[in-house]
Amino acid sequence: LYMSGQSAYDRGDKEAAFNDWMTFMQKESSAFSGRKSTYSRSISSRVMSEYVALGNEAARAGEHHKAYKMWQKSLEIGENVAARIAID
């Protein structure tokens, strides 16, 4: 799943990459009692930042529900100050 996500990201398909990576992180968390590998740490920061950027873009376009959803997705992965501030 990690490599599949990386391949999708490399060819510009961020949605497929994020879906694969989210599944990877969920399975890893289940298998290892919440501990994160180097792979998860590297992709989680990338995915969180992307969700914050997508949320900010949606907010600028007046799509507030979509923006909230994107910021919330970022927070589901981990603590992100920018997402928390945007939601607040």
Side-chain angles (χ1 to χ4, degrees):
L1 283 170
Y2 174 81
M3 295 305 292
S4 175
Q6 188 62 49
S7 294
Y9 190 82
D10 290 344
R11 59 175 193 274
D13 189 354
K14 290 182 182 179
E15 186 174 339
F18 292 174
N19 286 333
D20 286 347
W21 285 338
M22 291 296 289
T23 302
F24 169 78
M25 288 188 286
Q26 290 167 348
K27 287 185 177 198
E28 180 185 72
S29 181
S30 293
F32 299 110
S33 303
R35 291 181 301 175
K36 288 186 174 186
S37 67
T38 302
Y39 295 117
S40 283
R41 286 191 299 275
S42 71
I43 59 178
S44 64
S45 63
R46 189 179 336 172
V47 174
M48 283 190 299
S49 295
E50 186 68 28
Y51 279 139
V52 169
L54 289 170
N56 292 344
E57 186 178 303
R60 282 191 295 277
E63 299 174 13
H64 302 294
H65 292 290
K66 181 179 180 181
Y68 179 82
K69 183 179 175 183
M70 294 295 109
W71 296 324
Q72 198 60 38
K73 280 186 173 190
S74 178
L75 292 174
E76 288 171 9
I77 299 167
E79 189 56 38
N80 185 290
V81 174
R84 180 69 58 205
I85 289 170
I87 287 174
D88 288 345

